[in-house]
Amino acid sequence: MSWGTELWDQFENLDKHTQWGIDFLERYAKFVKERLDIEQNYAKQLRNLVKKYCPKRSKDEEPRFTSCLSFYSILNELNDYAGQREVVAEDMAHKVYGELMRYSQDLKAERKHHLQEGRKAQQYLDHCWKQMDNSKRKFERECKEAEKSQVTYDRLDNDINATKSEVEKAKAQFYLRTHMADESKNEYAAQLQNFNAEQWKHFNNAIPHIFKNLQDMDERRTVKLGETYRSFAEAERRVIPIISKCLEGMVSAAKAVDERRDSSIVVESFKSGFDPPGDFPFEDFSQNLSRTGSDGTISNTPKADRDGAPAPRSDPKHPMSRTKNKLWLFGKKPKAPSLEDFSHLPPEQRRKRLQQRIDELSKELQKEMDQRDALNKMKDVYEKNPQMGDPSSLQPKISETICNMEKLRSEIHKNETWLSEVEGKQSSRGDRRHSADNHHHTPQGRESPEGSYTDDTSQEHQTPHHRSSPPQPGHPNPDPHEFDDEFDDDDPLPVIGHCKALYSFDGQNEGTLVMAEDEVLYIIEQDKGDGWTRARKQSGEEGYVPTSYVEITLEKNSKGAVTYI
């Protein structure tokens, strides 16, 4: 139905209706704004909750139990879930609220224009009506004056006392008024015809056109509301698959809880490697007594001797020396000085600590090797492009890195020697126990260094479904499927400032970073005097850029690295 034909006389009501439509649209926009604020606050509270319960202990003190690792996995999934709530809020802010507010401004301007046109058309019609009405009134007045002059003329013409001049004057006045009345009549007829024509155009052309524009505007507003209703729901529905994956990850973490593995970790964490204490030997103090043999006397021979089995023999000098050395297992452990080779610890604990130290030294060695490779690449860049820097300026740092590598290799070799010694002793002890008692088998993985249980950090942090073979001593093989980067000591360099690229840089050489003009980067290492600054993109990519190509702003108090989501 058309507003122009059905509502031709409802201009004021359409004015109110279109204003209500814009008010309703802005009311819905306000609702969306409050809804996305709830999402943002919810996501913020979830992130704070995850941060509160994330482990704050050092890596040595981290729990390795599957129940703990599964909980940390759930925290990570919840953090990802919070990120999806932020995505919902962002979509609502841009695709619904922002779009509605921009559209509302356009509607207001368009409505104002159409209403102004309608008022102008109405004003013009009113002007035509006034002209017609004025000509009508003038025609009425002239007719009345003509009638009066006619009455005066008739009276004088019939009066015998009236002079001829008076009669002629009255006659001339009558003719004049009659002529003026005829002219007023013609003007009134013309104005009436003009008004009727303008009124027909007003109600058949101008007003229908204006009302049609208002109707189109109002219908487009209704369509826009429907689209934003859909966008409001789509913002939520788009993240449902990712949220489902987060929930599936939580379920998988729950399934990864393994009580038997946790129990074995407790055993491996606290076992000393010592054998349980043996039986106390029988000490016969009646050997120097002479007794008359009889059936009722007690034989000075232990029961084991009477049965034909050899009795345990004790050391006459130190009858309890072997046992006393192990009594601390059931009481308070004696304090011992901390030695570099951990020889003060029980064998199993010593092996684990040595293996842990070897892994840490291997990581440090890998870092030094990476630094050496980066310096060599930068040196090659300087040699190919002398204008970027002096290659000789990098030599002291390269020499220092190589020296550090040699020291670390020496430390690793020394600790590997101690580790081999410990594992060799454990293997020998296992062989002795096996030969002494065929019913007591050595646990698997304890008879040789190659088969020894490795309790390194990469083993401890992997899930039960991704278990790799133990690494050989001195050749650390960290698991690439480590539980979470959050537990890794190899943190990224902290951000100390930011910079803006003054020019674009292609970064064709290795170790350099491509950047576009006006791009903003994070500064993670200042220029050391060689003309290069180490930077990081917001995507996490790191590399060196020419210092002269960027405008640098350093932070006064920078703590830690930026977290990327």
Side-chain angles (χ1 to χ4, degrees), residues 154-172:
D154 291 341
R155 181 176 57 79
L156 291 176
D157 189 36
N158 295 325
D159 188 0
I160 57 175
N161 295 322
T163 62
K164 185 177 180 179
S165 61
E166 289 177 343
V167 173
E168 290 294 331
K169 185 177 180 181
K171 184 179 180 180

Side-chain angles (χ1 to χ4, degrees), residues 239-505:
V239 302
I240 288 179
I242 303 178
I243 289 178
S244 297
K245 289 184 179 179
C246 294
L247 298 177
E248 289 173 3
M250 294 182 185
V251 173
S252 298
K255 293 179 179 178
V257 175
D258 187 346
E259 71 280 5
R260 293 187 179 277
R261 179 173 172 78
D262 285 359
S263 296
S264 65
I265 290 175
V266 173
V267 172
E268 293 298 331
S269 298
F270 301 116
K271 71 178 180 180
S272 65
F274 290 125
D275 296 329
D279 295 337
F280 281 88
F282 175 79
E283 299 181 34
D284 190 356
F285 299 103
S286 63
Q287 292 179 357
N288 297 327
L289 298 178
S290 58
R291 295 178 180 271
T292 303
S294 65
D295 295 337
T297 59
I298 299 175
S299 172
N300 60 357
T301 305
K303 183 179 179 181
D305 291 343
R306 293 198 306 269
D307 294 338
R313 302 181 65 183
S314 62
D315 187 347
K317 294 182 179 179
H318 304 284
M320 298 180 68
S321 59
R322 182 184 177 189
T323 306
K324 286 184 177 180
N325 290 335
K326 298 177 180 60
L327 285 178
W328 62 268
L329 292 172
F330 305 97
K332 187 175 180 181
K333 185 176 178 179
K335 294 182 179 179
S338 179
L339 302 178
E340 183 182 8
D341 59 354
F342 302 112
S343 58
H344 61 289
L345 296 176
E348 182 64 21
Q349 299 300 321
R350 181 187 180 192
R351 183 193 64 77
K352 290 170 58 179
R353 294 296 294 272
L354 287 173
Q355 183 64 57
Q356 182 180 358
R357 179 187 287 173
I358 290 173
D359 294 337
E360 293 172 355
L361 292 173
S362 298
K363 287 183 179 180
E364 293 180 13
L365 177 61
Q366 186 62 43
K367 290 181 183 179
E368 294 292 336
M369 293 172 65
D370 293 341
Q371 184 175 2
R372 179 202 60 189
D373 295 341
L375 290 170
N376 286 331
K377 290 177 182 177
M378 191 176 298
K379 184 178 179 182
D380 293 339
V381 172
Y382 287 175
E383 290 175 349
K384 295 176 182 178
N385 304 281
Q387 69 276 9
M388 291 186 179
D390 183 11
S392 60
S393 63
L394 301 176
Q395 192 57 44
K397 188 65 176 177
I398 294 175
S399 301
E400 179 184 351
T401 303
I402 294 175
C403 182
N404 292 339
M405 289 168 54
E406 293 301 324
K407 290 180 181 179
L408 289 171
R409 287 195 180 101
S410 176
E411 285 292 322
I412 291 173
H413 179 70
K414 182 169 61 175
N415 283 272
E416 286 177 348
T417 303
W418 291 332
L419 180 62
S420 300
E421 177 186 348
V422 174
E423 292 180 338
K425 289 181 179 180
Q426 289 182 344
S427 175
S428 299
R429 186 167 62 249
D431 293 339
R432 289 196 301 270
R433 287 199 303 268
H434 182 74
S435 61
D437 188 358
N438 291 331
H439 296 285
H440 294 81
H441 299 287
T442 304
Q444 183 180 3
R446 293 291 301 275
E447 67 272 15
S448 65
E450 288 76 16
S452 62
Y453 178 84
T454 303
D455 199 9
D456 60 356
T457 53
S458 63
Q459 289 279 345
E460 293 167 4
H461 287 277
Q462 56 184 315
T463 60
H465 303 291
H466 299 84
R467 189 175 300 172
S468 61
S469 59
Q472 298 297 327
H475 299 281
N477 183 23
D479 189 351
H481 303 285
E482 200 167 8
F483 172 70
D484 196 292
D485 293 335
E486 186 178 348
F487 300 96
D488 195 355
D489 286 339
D490 192 10
D491 294 332
L493 293 174
V495 175
I496 60 175
H498 63 276
C499 67
K500 180 180 180 181
L502 302 176
Y503 317 99
S504 60
F505 180 63

Side-chain angles (χ1 to χ4, degrees), residues 25-142:
L25 184 142
E26 291 184 342
R27 183 185 177 195
Y28 173 62
K30 183 179 179 182
F31 159 77
V32 175
K33 180 65 169 61
E34 294 184 7
R35 173 72 172 84
L36 68 90
D37 288 341
I38 291 174
E39 284 291 346
Q40 289 175 339
N41 292 331
Y42 179 46
K44 183 179 180 181
Q45 291 176 354
L46 286 179
R47 289 196 182 278
N48 290 337
L49 181 66
V50 171
K51 184 178 180 181
K52 177 180 178 181
Y53 284 92
C54 274
K56 298 180 177 62
R57 297 177 295 274
S58 64
K59 193 167 185 179
D60 292 339
E61 299 175 351
E62 285 176 9
R64 297 161 293 158
F65 303 108
T66 58
S67 56
C68 296
L69 298 181
S70 294
F71 175 60
Y72 298 149
S73 180
I74 289 174
L75 290 179
N76 289 332
E77 296 294 348
L78 186 61
N79 194 59
D80 293 341
Y81 175 85
Q84 295 308 308
R85 304 319 308 180
E86 291 173 342
V87 170
V88 171
E90 185 177 354
D91 281 354
M92 288 183 179
H94 291 88
K95 297 181 180 179
V96 184
Y97 177 72
E99 183 68 21
L100 285 173
M101 296 309 295
R102 287 191 296 271
Y103 191 72
S104 174
Q105 297 301 320
D106 295 340
L107 277 182
K108 289 178 180 178
E110 184 179 355
R111 173 181 175 276
K112 182 179 179 181
H113 173 70
H114 294 324
L115 293 179
Q116 284 178 346
E117 285 188 343
R119 290 190 178 94
K120 286 180 181 179
Q122 187 64 44
Q123 289 173 359
Y124 179 70
L125 184 63
D126 291 344
H127 174 70
C128 293
W129 181 86
K130 286 180 181 180
Q131 286 184 329
M132 183 272 295
D133 187 63
N134 289 336
S135 64
K136 176 183 176 182
R137 292 178 185 278
K138 183 179 179 181
F139 173 56
E140 183 181 7
R141 287 194 306 271
E142 293 296 336

